[in-house]
């Protein structure tokens, strides 16, 4: 059986590893000259966003025998609003490196692949479709799926980030929801060592935001982070991504084409995380090709997760700075704080996203109704 994988990123490589374990050697086509050949950044995986899974990295290793070595466990997530700071503590998740780095997740996955990766590939999807029995679309965006009418784009996002030198606690990422600085978006600080980390802003491309000057927003965000973390960060690298698509395909599989990773819609619109689901979709596509599972069935819960996450985004967007302050202040309340810590910890599998979605949806509908009156 001839299988083409288009894209040697997290989803494509996870698919290749799984196919090989079941005796199929895929042909992998990668447009870049090496795996992860782009800026280096740090990312995170939070267990709470991927329930019922308790521990994402353990889950991938134990169930699919794919090994990913993170930078550190996240033991504390610090959340800043305009006037408040709160913490979620426990075994929350992991941080990791991406891109052109020997320890990036894609580099680690590539070392577990035996099949040849054809770099600098210029083959397009129609060509692969004609010449292979199965095509796994893993190009890291929804463009191809959208091009064949199989993708619902809910929003696009502008992302600007920098690698900075400073002092970091690798187990403690930070996030800011300050809508004076980044309207309807957020700032992340994710360390990738004790001396280096990323400061990243991400905001939706809504008309009011497009009018704003990205350089001014970035400068404000950088100053806010420097002030709150009491440091003079030295910028050593910068990156910018425009119109990063957040959406999901209508059908996970069309004929013999599998949509995996961001081509499927793994990026969760709530907080912008997609790595864990990228791996899952790669594995699930391989299962279908090997007749171990049915891709459409395996991916069903992922559509549900996506919708919960979209509800969360709409909720976050509907909040004012004052409401965000009130939400974050609750993390300081001793009883609430310990409940939230317990829910987010990987010792229990409570699906907060699923449980809270109906309530959040009611709130979103109420806000929409009052805005339209
Ligand atoms: C700045 C940023 C920060 C993020 N932070 C987080 C985070 O903290 N946590 C989290 O979970 N997720 C995060 N994400 C999302 C996460 O990185 C993605 O969801 C995940 O990488 C998707 O995996 P993928 O395999 O679909 O795509 P990728 O891993 O991007 O791989 C796609 C591959 O396809 C190749 N390709 C593209 N076009 C072609 C073509 N025509 N032919 C052949 N190959 C092609 C690319 O070169 C690339 O190697 C972040 C994303 C960005 C941009």
């Amino acid at each position: 059986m001839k299988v083409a994988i288009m894209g040697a990123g997290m989803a494509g490589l996870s698919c290749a590893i799984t196919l090989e374990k079941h005796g199929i050697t895929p042909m992998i086509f990668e447009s870049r000259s090496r795996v992860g050949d782009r800026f280096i950044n740090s990312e995170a995986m939070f267990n709470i966003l991927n329930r019922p899974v308790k521990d994402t990295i353990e889950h991938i290793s134990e169930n699919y025998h794919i090994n990913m070595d993170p930078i550190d466990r996240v033991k504390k997530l610090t959340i800043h609003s305009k006037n408040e700071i709160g913490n979620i503590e426990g075994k929350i998740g992991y941080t990791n490196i991406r891109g052109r780095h020997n320890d990036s997740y894609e580099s680690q996955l590539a070392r577990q692949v035996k099949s040849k990766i054809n770099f600098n590939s210029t083959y397009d999807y129609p060509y692969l479709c004609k010449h292979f029995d199965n095509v796994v679309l893993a190009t890291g965006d929804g463009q191809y799926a959208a091009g064949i009418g199989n993708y619902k784009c809910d929003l696009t996002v502008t992302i600007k980030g920098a690698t900075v030198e400073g002092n970091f606690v690798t187990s403690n990422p930070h996030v800011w929801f300050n809508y004076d600085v980044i309207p309807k978006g957020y700032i992340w600080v994710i360390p990738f060592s004790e001396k280096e980390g990323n400061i990243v802003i991400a905001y939706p491309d809504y008309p009011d935001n497009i009018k704003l000057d990205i350089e001014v927003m970035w400068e404000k965000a950088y100053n806010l982070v420097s002030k709150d973390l009491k440091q003079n960060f030295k910028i050593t690298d910068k990156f910018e991504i425009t119109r990063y698509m957040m959406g999901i395909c209508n059908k996970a599989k069309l004929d013999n084409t599998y949509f995996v990773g961001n081509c499927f819609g793994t990026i969760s619109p709530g907080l912008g995380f997609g790595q864990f689901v990228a791996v899952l979709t790669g594995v699930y596509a391989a299962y279908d090709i090997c007749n171990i599972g049915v891709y459409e069935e395996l991916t069903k819960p992922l559509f549900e997760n996506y919708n919960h996450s979209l509800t969360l985004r709409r909720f976050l967007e509907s909040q004012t700075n004052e409401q965000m302050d009130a939400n974050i202040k609750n993390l300081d309340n001793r009883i609430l704080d310990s409940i939230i810590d317990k829910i987010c910890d990987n010792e229990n599998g409570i699906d907060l996203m699923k449980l809270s979605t109906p309530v959040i949806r009611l709130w979103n509908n109420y806000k929409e109704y009052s805005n339209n009156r």
Side-chain angles (χ1 to χ4, degrees):
M1 187 195 302
K2 283 173 72 187
V3 181
I5 298 177
M6 195 173 177
M10 292 204 54
L13 294 170
S14 303
C15 182
I17 296 169
T18 312
L19 286 171
E20 288 172 4
K21 284 188 200 305
H22 294 91
I24 293 178
T25 303
M27 291 272 276
I28 308 169
F29 299 94
E30 167 57 50
S31 57
R32 290 181 172 136
S33 57
R34 54 178 273 211
V35 166
D37 195 10
R38 63 155 173 85
F39 60 87
I40 296 172
N41 69 317
S42 43
E43 301 193 358
M45 266 190 200
F46 292 135
N47 302 320
I48 186 75
L49 302 176
N50 300 296
R51 298 292 192 225
V53 169
K54 287 186 178 175
D55 184 309
T56 47
I57 294 295
E58 266 177 37
H59 180 86
I60 291 169
S61 162
E62 282 167 14
N63 293 286
Y64 312 124
H65 312 289
I66 295 175
N67 299 312
M68 297 194 301
D69 196 9
I71 301 168
D72 204 350
R73 273 184 181 274
V74 176
K75 299 195 187 94
K76 181 156 104 177
L77 171 66
T78 305
I79 310 175
H80 306 249
S81 59
K82 187 173 176 188
N83 301 299
E84 300 289 341
I85 302 179
N87 292 302
I88 298 175
E89 291 177 70
K91 292 179 199 154
I92 302 170
Y94 298 91
T95 52
N96 64 276
I97 303 184
R98 295 295 309 273
R100 201 182 297 118
H101 190 289
N102 205 32
D103 296 330
S104 71
Y105 270 172
E106 47 271 67
S107 302
Q108 295 186 36
L109 291 173
R111 289 195 283 274
Q112 295 165 61
V113 171
K114 295 184 203 83
S115 315
K116 184 174 176 233
I117 303 177
N118 299 280
F119 291 108
N120 302 311
S121 164
T122 52
Y123 290 115
D124 62 6
Y125 166 67
Y127 175 88
L128 297 178
C129 221
K130 261 186 224 142
H131 294 87
F132 287 82
D133 301 316
N134 292 290
V135 179
V136 178
L137 258 180
T139 52
D141 60 46
Q143 294 291 356
Y144 269 113
I148 51 176
N150 185 35
Y151 193 82
K152 171 181 79 83
C153 181
D154 286 304
L155 67 151
T156 66
V157 171
T158 293
I159 305 172
K160 188 172 173 72
T163 297
V164 294
E165 287 175 2
N167 293 312
F168 297 97
V169 177
T170 51
S171 58
N172 181 197
H174 294 250
V175 61
W176 281 255
F177 295 96
N178 183 328
Y179 297 153
D180 288 348
V181 179
I182 308 293
K184 298 191 190 316
Y186 28 70
I187 311 168
W188 278 101
V189 169
I190 305 182
F192 45 83
S193 74
E194 286 170 4
K195 295 283 165 212
E196 270 191 322
N198 268 152
I199 303 177
V200 179
I201 61 169
Y203 56 88
D205 300 317
Y206 298 149
D208 280 350
N209 278 354
I210 292 174
K211 289 180 208 148
L212 301 173
D213 183 335
I214 186 169
E215 295 305 330
V216 174
M217 287 163 92
W218 162 257
E219 201 62 29
K220 280 188 189 168
Y222 172 81
N223 290 337
L224 177 68
V225 171
S226 304
K227 178 173 78 62
D228 285 356
L229 301 188
K230 297 182 182 63
Q231 294 198 49
N232 284 319
F233 293 110
K234 183 182 164 208
I235 297 178
T236 54
D237 192 19
K238 276 189 172 180
F239 61 86
E240 191 174 320
I241 301 171
T242 48
R243 292 193 210 297
Y244 192 65
M245 288 168 91
M246 293 197 180
I248 194 156
C249 60
N250 304 318
K251 291 204 157 76
K253 185 183 170 201
L254 276 182
D255 298 326
N256 283 355
T257 296
Y258 297 82
F259 298 86
V260 304
N262 285 359
C263 299
F264 166 82
T266 53
I267 189 102
S268 63
L271 295 171
F273 289 0
Q275 299 184 104
F276 178 67
V277 179
V279 172
L280 288 192
T281 51
V283 171
Y284 292 166
Y287 280 1
D288 193 285
I289 293 167
C290 301
N291 289 322
I292 299 168
V294 176
Y295 193 53
E296 290 92 333
E297 289 301 317
L298 292 165
T299 49
K300 257 187 197 158
L302 306 181
F303 282 95
E304 207 185 327
N305 281 2
Y306 177 89
N307 287 327
H308 294 158
S309 186
L310 186 60
T311 305
L312 173 66
R313 165 160 284 276
R314 299 302 180 218
F315 169 75
L316 291 172
E317 288 177 351
S318 77
Q319 297 287 283
T320 60
N321 272 335
E322 291 68 33
Q323 285 165 333
M324 282 312 276
D325 279 344
N327 297 336
I328 303 306
K329 203 169 165 47
N330 283 335
L331 293 176
D332 265 351
N333 172 303
R334 240 183 339 134
I335 301 167
L336 263 178
D337 185 24
S338 77
I339 294 173
I340 291 169
D341 285 356
K342 279 209 175 73
I343 290 173
C344 292
D345 193 277
N346 69 359
E347 291 307 318
N348 78 75
I350 295 176
D351 192 342
L352 182 65
M353 295 281 281
K354 189 174 180 174
L355 291 174
S356 59
T357 294
V359 183
I360 300 178
R361 207 168 270 153
L362 268 178
W363 165 263
N364 291 350
N365 289 344
Y366 162 73
K367 283 294 278 191
E368 208 179 314
Y369 171 75
S370 26
N371 287 343
N372 290 339
R373 274 179 61 168

